[in-house]
Amino acid sequence: MFERLLVANRGEIAVRVMRTAREMGITTIAVYSDADRDSMHVRYADEAYNLPGTTVRESYLNTERILEIIKRSGAQAVHPGYGFFSENTDFARAIESSGVVFVGPPPKAIEIMGDKISSRIAATAAGVAGVPGTAEVLQSAEEIITFGNQHGWPVAIKAAYGGGGRGMRVVHSASEAADALSSAQREALASFGRDECYLERYLTWPRHVEMQIIGDTHGNIVWLGERDCSCQRRHQKLIEESPAPDFPNDIRVQMGEAAVKVAKACGYYNAGTVEFLYQDGQFYFLEMNTRLQVEHPITEAVTGLDLVELQLRVAAGEPLGFAQHEVTHRGHAIEIRLNAEDPSAGRFIPSPGPITRFDRADGPGVRTDAGYEAGDAVSQYYDNLIAKLVVWAPDRERAIARAVRALHETKLEGVTTTIPADLAILTHPDFAAAQHSTKWVEDRLDLSALPVGPTANDTDTSPAPTEVVAEVNGKRVAVKLFLPDVGPTPASRTNQTSNASPTPRSARPQGSTSSSGSGSGNVTVPMQGTVVKVSVEVGQEVQVGDTVIVLEAMKMENSILAERNGTISEIKVQPGDTVGTGDVVAVIS
């Protein structure tokens, strides 16, 4: 087993990986951007090194700099987490070429399965049927129109090198094709460093059911059970559970065996997830995620296995140590993602800013995997996942009740979170009856009554002791000073960090991604972000609902729309500009 592990990621997944590594006696090494200088994963690690820059491409997607830190830190292995470089073949090859262990599948498997197009081809060759779609990279909007006319609308544009709903757009008609393709490509490039996309038929009322697999370098591959991830917004998951409800066991076995076939077809080892769409008693191969999944804790809860430990042991060359017939399942587990988003009226607007209070739930069968503590700031530059609340109970009914109880105990203030929407889902009769689908949250769940904005309380943030952080030649060194009568420093865990200086949440205009601006004609933005597209020009006539700009915040694109009819008399921003909450970006006369 290696002794020094670098985690090439941030947030809760970096902390989660480091926790298991620490239990195994492995020294943990973090990397951090300028905006993450005092983040929780940095404080938790044994050592931490700076990745100069703020944006993802400057920092966490900077292969050259990460390789320098690997050499300098003496890391013997690299865990990529999920997102960023976790499914990047070139990164995996660069790690292995440097003589360091990549904690993941072989680069060739990532190349086949990390590319969603070639994964469809490989799954078909293995005898596992997928959703009807294309096997070539999209070159133009005309290809979308031709596919839609042939297979029927709507169709889905998907990032070939991504996952988690990033770089995915649903196209309902030919007129939407060009803009949807451009938007999907921009988001894919920002999130994964690649902008290739492909097409799939968009099923009408499917459930998203995925199968966790694990394999070793000795030829053993097993499936560990399925997860139902159908509660989604913007094709990104909110709540997951295992086992899938109202799911026949014969289908479960068939899906597990199909997942193993797909894995064997590409010479896979380490942890991976084969995703399927399930509708009318049939399942279709969707894609394979060649990495650890966000929702892996619920599989851990029902199997009693530590997937990160298994990953590390497999990467070190150890056999799994168990066979398929030895995998057992017990009870029911639910994971709730706690995101910094305002879900009121179903808008799910990104909500970056400082966390003023974070009280975690406790009690039997409750686990919280977090990447933040009170005093930390959720940055506009990265994913908005704050934490994952995981509950386990002997059966689904009690797991739902425990999840509701735990959500009520969780106090997250300073930013608006998805907790009200999570409660609306868990307490809905459709969810109890397992009648939901991937479209249920956006199409049928009524979120109009959800409160708008946060309920922040003043808190005593006096630090004791004061923690002073020094950065020596790019390496972070933290020193605690017991100094009386000294105010809190930006590095204090219990105080607001220097990672960001957002506008106070109470001053945030209550707009939405589909309606921004005021009666005066000032078009304002409801969150911090970066302008990626200006859709109008001075002198152009606009109507209510027309897109004025496209804003990227927390790795999601948000259309800022005109609230009144009129003529664009002034444009105050251009692509690449960073804007803050309430900033005026255009004027309509």
Side-chain angles (χ1 to χ4, degrees):
M1 179 60 66
F2 35 80
E3 297 177 351
R4 297 176 63 81
L5 174 70
L6 184 144
V7 182
N9 217 296
R10 64 179 301 279
E12 59 82 24
I13 183 53
V15 176
R16 188 268 169 274
V17 171
M18 291 175 193
R19 282 186 167 133
T20 288
R22 181 168 290 182
E23 292 175 7
M24 298 173 69
I26 299 171
T27 297
T28 58
I29 302 164
V31 291
Y32 60 93
S33 69
D34 291 342
D36 274 344
R37 181 162 277 113
D38 191 49
S39 291
M40 183 177 174
H41 79 282
V42 178
R43 299 191 301 263
Y44 189 86
D46 296 311
E47 299 176 15
Y49 294 81
N50 178 237
L51 292 167
T54 299
T55 68
V56 170
R57 294 187 65 78
E58 291 172 333
S59 54
Y60 296 104
L61 291 181
N62 188 335
T63 303
E64 183 178 349
R65 178 60 178 158
I66 292 175
L67 289 173
E68 291 174 1
I69 292 173
I70 291 171
K71 183 176 181 180
R72 182 179 169 198
S73 66
Q76 298 163 310
V78 173
H79 195 301
Y82 44 71
F84 295 150
F85 275 141
S86 62
E87 294 185 280
N88 188 294
T89 307
D90 294 337
F91 180 75
R93 286 199 171 110
I95 296 300
E96 293 193 346
S97 295
S98 67
V100 173
V101 174
F102 180 75
V103 183
K108 184 63 176 177
I110 299 176
E111 188 170 46
I112 296 172
M113 290 298 170
D115 174 354
K116 311 308 180 187
I117 297 174
S118 62
S119 70
R120 290 172 56 86
I121 297 172
T124 301
V128 181
V131 179
T134 61
E136 301 83 26
V137 174
L138 276 173
Q139 300 296 332
S140 70
E142 290 302 318
E143 297 174 42
I144 302 172
I145 296 171
T146 300
F147 184 88
N149 289 336
Q150 179 180 352
H151 293 276
W153 301 92
V155 300
I157 302 173
K158 304 186 72 174
Y161 292 91
R166 307 294 185 191
M168 178 176 175
R169 295 293 182 272
V170 177
V171 188
H172 296 273
S173 65
S175 63
E176 301 175 10
D179 285 345
L181 178 58
S182 297
S183 179
Q185 290 172 329
R186 282 195 305 270
E187 191 170 83
L189 183 63
S191 297
F192 311 111
R194 300 282 295 266
D195 66 357
E196 293 93 328
C197 294
Y198 68 102
L199 282 173
E200 278 185 353
R201 176 189 164 201
Y202 195 58
L203 297 181
T204 56
W205 198 254
R207 283 167 58 187
H208 185 143
V209 182
E210 61 189 26
M211 187 64 64
Q212 177 72 56
I213 62 102
I214 183 80
D216 61 26
T217 57
H218 303 273
N220 306 304
I221 302 180
V222 300
W223 55 273
L224 301 180
E226 84 285 359
R227 299 182 290 253
D228 189 307
C229 310
S230 301
C231 291
Q232 305 177 5
R233 51 81 181 90
R234 292 181 177 145
H235 315 292
Q236 297 169 35
K237 304 160 188 174
L238 287 166
I239 293 177
E240 301 101 345
E241 58 183 314
S242 182
D246 191 24
F247 193 65
N249 190 61
D250 61 329
I251 297 293
R252 175 178 294 110
V253 173
Q254 291 174 36
M255 184 179 286
E257 292 173 347
V260 170
K261 285 181 182 179
V262 169
K264 287 184 175 180
C266 63
Y268 201 91
Y269 56 76
N270 215 277
T273 299
V274 184
E275 303 196 351
F276 300 90
L277 291 180
Y278 175 66
Q279 180 173 296
D280 300 327
Q282 300 290 322
F283 62 86
Y284 305 89
F285 173 80
L286 184 61
E287 63 187 28
M288 183 175 187
N289 288 311
T290 56
R291 53 175 167 83
L292 195 67
Q293 291 276 91
V294 179
E295 55 272 25
H296 75 273
I298 54 176
T299 297
E300 295 180 325
V302 297
T303 62
L305 298 169
D306 184 329
L307 288 178
V308 173
E309 180 181 355
L310 287 174
Q311 281 193 293
L312 296 175
R313 293 195 180 282
V314 166
E318 298 181 19
L320 285 180
F322 59 89
Q324 185 65 62
H325 70 275
E326 296 176 283
V327 177
T328 59
H329 302 87
R330 175 174 169 266
H332 197 93
I334 298 174
E335 177 180 287
I336 304 104
R337 301 193 191 192
L338 308 181
N339 296 81
E341 295 180 36
D342 181 353
S344 58
R347 296 174 296 183
F348 294 99
I349 302 173
S351 173
I355 298 173
T356 58
R357 179 183 180 185
F358 189 3
D359 297 343
R360 302 186 186 192
D362 207 340
V366 176
R367 162 183 169 180
T368 302
D369 283 10
Y372 297 86
E373 296 175 316
D376 291 340
V378 182
S379 172
Q380 64 162 307
Y381 295 104
Y382 313 119
D383 189 271
N384 57 27
L385 180 63
I386 297 172
K388 303 178 305 193
L389 177 62
V390 183
V391 301
W392 177 92
D395 55 55
R396 186 172 188 257
E397 183 178 358
R398 280 181 281 185
I400 293 174
R402 181 163 288 171
V404 171
R405 184 267 293 173
L407 280 173
H408 282 300
E409 287 183 9
T410 302
K411 305 299 179 185
L412 255 171
E413 298 174 355
V415 294
T416 309
T417 73
T418 49
I419 289 177
D422 297 327
L423 287 168
I425 292 170
L426 290 166
T427 57
H428 198 284
D430 285 358
F431 183 81
Q435 295 177 352
H436 54 296
S437 88
T438 57
K439 304 180 183 181
W440 176 73
V441 169
E442 294 181 327
D443 290 357
R444 298 190 184 178
L445 183 63
D446 184 6
L447 299 176
S448 60
L450 294 188
V452 176
T455 55
N457 293 336
D458 293 332
T459 57
D460 180 7
T461 59
S462 301
T466 296
E467 184 178 68
V468 176
V469 176
E471 197 172 285
V472 182
N473 294 328
K475 180 178 180 181
R476 181 184 185 276
V477 180
V479 181
K480 290 184 178 179
L481 299 180
F482 291 83
L483 300 176
D485 301 321
V486 176
T489 70
S492 172
R493 291 191 190 187
T494 55
N495 203 15
Q496 179 174 334
T497 70
S498 60
N499 296 359
S501 53
T503 303
R505 290 285 293 122
S506 58
R508 184 174 70 80
Q510 297 304 331
S512 76
T513 56
S514 60
S515 180
S516 294
S518 65
S520 66
N522 289 336
V523 180
T524 61
V525 294
M527 78 286 282
Q528 295 173 308
T530 302
V531 177
V532 296
K533 182 181 180 182
V534 177
S535 301
V536 296
E537 56 186 27
V538 173
Q540 180 176 332
E541 297 289 331
V542 294
Q543 296 183 340
V544 172
D546 287 349
T547 298
V548 177
I549 71 164
V550 178
L551 186 71
E552 182 187 283
M554 294 175 148
K555 294 170 67 178
M556 291 189 292
E557 287 196 356
N558 303 269
S559 295
I560 308 301
L561 309 185
E563 193 186 50
R564 56 169 287 182
N565 299 337
T567 303
I568 299 293
S569 59
E570 187 177 1
I571 297 174
K572 295 178 174 289
V573 294
Q574 59 185 356
D577 285 353
T578 299
V579 295
T581 302
D583 284 356
V584 177
V585 295
V587 178
I588 302 174
S589 300

